[in-house]
Amino acid sequence: MNVDSGGTQHTLDPGDRVRHRSLGAGEVIHDRGQTVIVDFRGDIQSCARADLEQLLTPLQAAARQEWDAPLRVITRCQAEAIRSANDMWGVFSRSRIDLLPHQLWVCKKVSERWPARWLVADDVGLGKTIEAGLILWPLLARGTVKRFLLLCPASLVGQWEQRLRTMFDIRVTQYSPDLDTARADFWNSHNQVVASLQTLRADRGGRHERLLGAEPWDLLLVDEAHHLNADEDRGPTLGFSLVRELMKRNQVTSAVFFTGTPHRGKDYGFFSLMSLLRDDLFSPTRPGRAQLPSLKEAMIRNNKQQATDMQGKRLFQPPDVTAVTYSYSPEEARFYEMLTDFILSGKTYASSLSQSDQRMVMLILIAMQKIASSSVAAIRRALRRRLERFETARSGLSQGAGAADRKDLDEYAAIEDEDVRNDRDEDVVSKILQLMVGEEDRLRELLAAADEVTEETRIARIMEMLETRFAGRSVLLFTEYKATQSLLMSEMHRRYGDGCAAFINGDERAEDVKRADGTVTTLRLAREDAAHQFNRGDVRFLISTEAGGEGIDLQERCHHLIHVDLPWNPMRLHQRVGRLNRYGQKHQVEVVHLRNPDTVEGRIWEKLLQKIESIQSAFDPVMDEPEDLMQLVLGMTSGDVFREIFSEADGVSTDRFDRWFDEKAARFGGKDAVEAVRELVGYAARFDYQEASNQIPRADLPQIEPFFRTMLSLSGRQARDEAGGISFKTPDAWRRQVGVRLEYEGLHFDRRVQGKEAIERIAGVGHKAVDLAIKDAVESEAALASLPAEVLPAPLFVFSIADEVTTGGALVRSTVVGVDGDSGGRVLRDWELLLRLNELAEGRGYRRATSSPSAAGPDTVDAAVATARATLEGELPTLQLSYAMPTISLVAAVWPHSESSPD
């Protein structure tokens, strides 16, 4: 605090710079005598006057001709630029993956206003985990978010925990019902939680009361948010009701939902989902078309065809899709003919039963049809288990299905998640409910016919492709059922030896697998281990069921995919291909559909693919990139539509098949659906490289390393360059902070670091040492310096632009920019300013330079600052800041002087 010679305190003027011992540096708003109102980067505080130390502004320093050491001023400006760019874009946050323009744009879009309420509906493979991490890191770093809850499907809980930890060093606690007791107070004891929506939505043991009564969440993240569904007739799902209650009770400040398929075919459900985020803009009871213009304020949609790298080069190519056909052997044809007759007999028998029993019989028969479309091996195993249950429970058949089986069938019918439903198909086939008179004998006949199939032509065709078209290449294969998975793996072992293939399925176990020596075994393999083996090249093949269809990346070494069987919902094909056709894929993905054109399923798929092609062509006149829109179209069609088509087709004659299909498939990709997708894409906010390329930061972690090294030097420490990165002893002042190590070894300003616990060795914003360096530099009193003209030919001014309106919801309320006199008064964005400052740091003699007291007089500096300020005011619109009332203040100035710098 400045005091004059008589001991009288000076009045602090608005704009004066002060430093508080715990709050850091800030700008005076109003001096009230004993207290002073100070703006600490958007945090406005009333401080005791005695707790403040006045720091000179650049103009005050010029008036007094008090010039600071150039190193101090440059590092302060570097720190201001780093913090500014990261607050807005998250570009310097720690992560183990190179950042893409659309991901940075999503981070900026979500971070512009607080509270934030957004639905991110990017296409599969564009990196939602990275976007979530980029959103979280700056919010966590500046304390805006202290508590966040992440809800996702049960199968992805572990993956979210692992990826946030290894990619961003964000640590979360996995929710477990065992930990959530009245005595444990789980929800108040853990501030960063990831939980299964399927688990949490059921209110058991008072868990909802404890959750709803806990401290509010600063941020709620929901993955696969389309599961938060509300139906006009059936009402909301449990998950929807839970999230709605959280919002209703003000337990959530901000929320970001992620889903690739936000619209599931009904406007009521879509606008119900949007109303969870913004009930001021959306309602399921209002006309949908009137609400569409508001989507740009709450929904983001980016697709693969628009995704680019930092140079504007497109990252994705459309997959190369081909159909490969095969024909049944006589033994296979005989078996499937018998099975078709069996199922038709069952349907006839069901028509004579009560409505309840009829529904249950049809559930079993449809599950049989689905399994049979995968392989003889799959349906044979299901039929054998069914017969075994009949034989052990024969005495109870006359009373019909047991209560437990009926309950299981009811639960199966109510399952909304098709992946979960698929996993239970085999179990459903074994439920004890008689399908026809004399069923046991018919089952034995079917099994005898199945046993005559010693080789499946589908599998033989795949093995032929592996040896010819895909010889020596890594191949990802998808199948619907575990028995088909085991059959294919057994054949691979016979042909290529044990250890050639890994597998992924729901229970991480493969039964009845033959080894190369012919012995039969059960294999166990964790999902993550299988993916790791495949990506590392330890195995050539990976065979996955739908459990691998979501949330796992397999593109590191593979760009070939074979659909062993074709699912009953085309959306699954899109999800499967998304495992390979995602960021990091360096080749065009080759996809093979395998089908038998002589079967009902083959004919259905031929018609479906024709319809998909027709839907895509409908977008051509109005959309430049129709490819990625199929995910939205498919998402708008209920799985019941396709299930109905496949399950009823066996009773349709060939001559009326085409007409029947057109009638049944009318709900898929109709005019209304195509128009809805056009409107969603047209009204949603989206990244456009051509429009935003000049805003996207062209800076990354290597660009903050020069600043950090200089700060170490100014703190009396030197960075040692070693093979494993840079190492240093921590400055004494930093060691007083909790969690700071005495010494660091092997730090890298590089996202591509490999090895165990690599994230701990990546230095960026969020690393304690880097954060302390930034804090020290920003709070420096240095504001005015000069450099030799050969290093700095013209003045460089650093300004802060802040929003005077603090009630407008802006999360980032200040931005740092530069005005470079060497470029004719060009305005530099924060990241451009950092690059310019780094150039200065590389200049000859920079580190030993001292400011010249005669660099410039006060009037010269005042006039130049006024000119630079006017230039900046004229360029404000081009910066596209979302400030209601921007105000400009000078942070620092660096002036050239004519004296030669020391060598």
Side-chain angles (χ1 to χ4, degrees), residues 225-284:
H226 52 269
H227 293 304
L228 304 178
N229 190 34
D231 186 86
E232 194 168 7
D233 299 320
R234 292 178 292 181
T237 60
L238 293 175
F240 184 99
S241 298
L242 175 61
V243 172
R244 181 175 58 186
E245 194 64 22
L246 282 168
M247 301 289 193
K248 182 179 177 181
R249 297 198 190 187
N250 294 320
Q251 287 295 102
V252 172
T253 301
S254 292
V256 181
F257 294 174
F258 296 91
T259 175
T261 54
H263 200 304
R264 308 295 281 183
K266 295 182 180 180
D267 280 355
Y268 187 92
F270 173 69
F271 287 110
S272 293
L273 176 64
M274 296 305 299
S275 71
L276 287 178
L277 292 165
R278 295 290 301 272
D279 59 5
D280 59 323
L281 296 178
F282 306 103
S283 169

Side-chain angles (χ1 to χ4, degrees), residues 16 30 39 68 142 181 184 190 194 203 214 253 284 376 466 587 651 669 700 724 791 799 802 820 873:
D16 279 353
H30 179 59
D39 182 357
D68 300 301
R142 58 177 174 259
T181 65
H190 298 86
V194 58
D203 188 12
T253 301
V376 175
L466 296 181
H587 305 275
D700 207 337
V791 176
F799 291 94
D820 189 356
E873 288 173 346

Side-chain angles (χ1 to χ4, degrees), residues 445-458:
E445 290 172 0
L446 277 173
L447 286 169
D451 288 340
E452 290 179 10
V453 179
T454 56
E455 181 183 55
E456 298 204 33
T457 51
R458 182 199 310 260

Side-chain angles (χ1 to χ4, degrees), residues 615-630:
I615 294 168
Q616 290 176 339
S617 66
F619 289 115
D620 289 344
V622 292
M623 298 288 184
D624 293 331
E625 312 292 351
E627 189 74 31
D628 290 317
L629 300 181
M630 276 313 303

Side-chain angles (χ1 to χ4, degrees), residues 530-740:
H532 185 59
Q533 289 177 15
F534 187 61
N535 284 330
R536 198 171 54 195
D538 295 343
V539 295
R540 180 182 164 194
F541 309 113
L542 177 63
I543 313 168
S544 178
T545 65
E546 301 307 326
E550 290 187 357
I552 193 164
D553 300 340
L554 302 170
Q555 77 279 13
E556 290 185 23
R557 291 175 176 266
C558 179
H559 60 281
H560 307 292
L561 185 148
I562 297 176
H563 296 292
V564 177
D565 46 32
L566 293 174
W568 279 18
N569 189 335
M571 173 61 84
R572 292 179 179 274
L573 298 183
H574 196 93
Q575 292 168 340
R576 290 174 173 185
V577 175
R579 296 307 101 208
L580 295 183
N581 195 30
R582 59 199 303 110
Y583 176 57
Q585 179 58 261
K586 298 178 176 63
H587 305 275
Q588 184 178 32
V589 175
E590 293 184 49
V591 180
V592 172
H593 292 158
L594 201 69
R595 68 175 185 267
N596 184 341
D598 299 325
T599 63
V600 171
E601 287 85 2
R603 291 198 298 274
I604 292 173
W605 266 105
E606 183 179 1
K607 296 287 290 182
L608 279 174
L609 294 174
Q610 287 175 1
K611 181 145 191 177
I612 288 172
E613 185 176 343
S614 174
I615 294 168
Q616 290 176 339
S617 66
F619 289 115
D620 289 344
V622 292
M623 298 288 184
D624 293 331
E625 312 292 351
E627 189 74 31
D628 290 317
L629 300 181
M630 276 313 303
Q631 183 182 11
L632 292 176
V633 175
L634 292 169
M636 294 182 71
T637 307
S638 169
D640 292 340
V641 172
F642 301 112
R643 196 177 303 115
E644 207 173 280
I645 291 173
F646 279 96
S647 63
E648 295 179 7
D650 55 1
V652 180
S653 61
T654 304
D655 61 326
R656 53 184 292 265
F657 181 82
D658 288 354
R659 186 172 67 255
W660 171 86
F661 177 87
D662 291 340
E663 292 172 356
K664 285 291 184 181
R667 288 176 287 169
F668 166 46
K671 182 179 178 180
D672 289 345
V674 171
E675 186 62 28
V677 168
R678 285 176 177 166
E679 290 174 336
L680 283 181
V681 173
Y683 283 107
R686 66 175 182 171
F687 171 73
D688 187 312
Y689 183 84
Q690 298 304 320
E691 293 180 3
S693 60
N694 65 330
Q695 300 178 47
I696 299 294
R698 301 297 201 283
D700 207 337
L701 296 183
Q703 279 67 58
I704 66 175
E705 184 174 353
F707 157 76
F708 185 74
R709 286 177 175 271
T710 303
M711 286 303 296
L712 283 177
S713 177
L714 290 174
S715 301
R717 296 288 189 263
Q718 294 297 321
R720 305 186 306 275
D721 291 297
E722 299 174 350
I726 68 169
S727 303
F728 57 90
K729 291 184 177 179
T730 306
D732 293 340
W734 300 358
R735 293 182 181 182
R736 292 192 287 268
Q737 299 295 319
V738 176
V740 176

